Amino acid sequence: MKIDMPKNWQFQTEMRVRVSDLNYGNHLGNEVFLIFAQEARVRFFDSFGFTELNFGGESLIQGDAAITYKGEGHLGDLVQIEIATEITGSSSFNVFYRFYNKTKEKEMAHLRTAIVSFDYEKGRPVAISKAALESGVFQ
């Protein structure tokens, strides 16, 4: 699988690999990439004053995720995560993540999540709010 990554990145953050992030192979577990991605996404949204439950007045839900693995992370490694967004519909957008191991100076993974603006009370997608569209979250 190939994820077509964007050329321009809007945000970056760093996280250190903890012992609880390791699997039986003594490297970063595959599921931890999604955990790191969510933490990075929360930090990104926070930089605009948004949360996943109040994204310009609407809530968000993850529709799917795709990951391609390129390198390992080990205990204590510093991981840089870059983020970019792309609107895909009136109620949906992609968040792209590029994982880079700063300790080993190697790429770790490409990841994409599909995010949907969602009304939890009605149980259905809703349009991305005007506040979110005008905020600068989307490039």
Side-chain angles (χ1 to χ4, degrees):
M1 175 178 56
K2 183 179 184 312
I3 300 170
D4 291 325
M5 299 299 276
K7 290 181 174 69
N8 299 312
W9 298 92
Q10 299 166 253
F11 180 83
Q12 79 175 31
T13 190
E14 295 177 350
M15 292 176 228
R16 194 152 309 267
V17 177
R18 307 163 302 173
V19 70
S20 60
D21 299 326
L22 303 178
N23 64 16
Y24 57 85
N26 205 31
H27 59 244
L28 191 68
N30 59 2
E31 74 285 358
V32 178
F33 283 90
L34 287 170
I35 293 167
F36 276 28
Q38 183 178 22
E39 178 66 29
R41 185 174 65 241
V42 165
R43 292 177 187 182
F44 172 60
F45 291 161
D46 183 62
S47 73
F48 292 93
F50 295 147
T51 68
E52 292 183 328
L53 292 176
N54 185 0
F55 191 73
E58 302 297 342
S59 295
L60 301 176
I61 194 167
Q62 185 170 302
D64 69 23
I67 306 171
T68 57
Y69 301 102
K70 299 182 174 293
E72 295 178 307
H74 295 96
L75 183 61
D77 285 353
L78 186 61
V79 179
Q80 176 181 291
I81 303 166
E82 294 175 295
I83 287 183
T85 59
E86 166 192 67
I87 294 177
T88 56
S90 63
S91 64
S92 61
F93 59 97
N94 285 330
V95 180
F96 296 92
Y97 315 78
R98 182 168 54 187
F99 285 72
Y100 181 78
N101 187 323
K102 289 184 78 172
T103 304
K104 295 183 175 70
E105 298 182 354
K106 292 185 176 182
E107 204 167 33
M108 295 176 72
H110 291 169
L111 199 147
R112 182 205 43 83
T113 56
I115 305 295
V116 179
S117 183
F118 197 78
D119 183 323
Y120 280 93
E121 287 183 18
K122 295 180 181 173
R124 65 177 179 80
V126 294
I128 299 169
S129 72
K130 182 177 178 183
L133 291 171
E134 295 175 350
S135 69
V137 168
F138 304 106
Q139 52 175 343

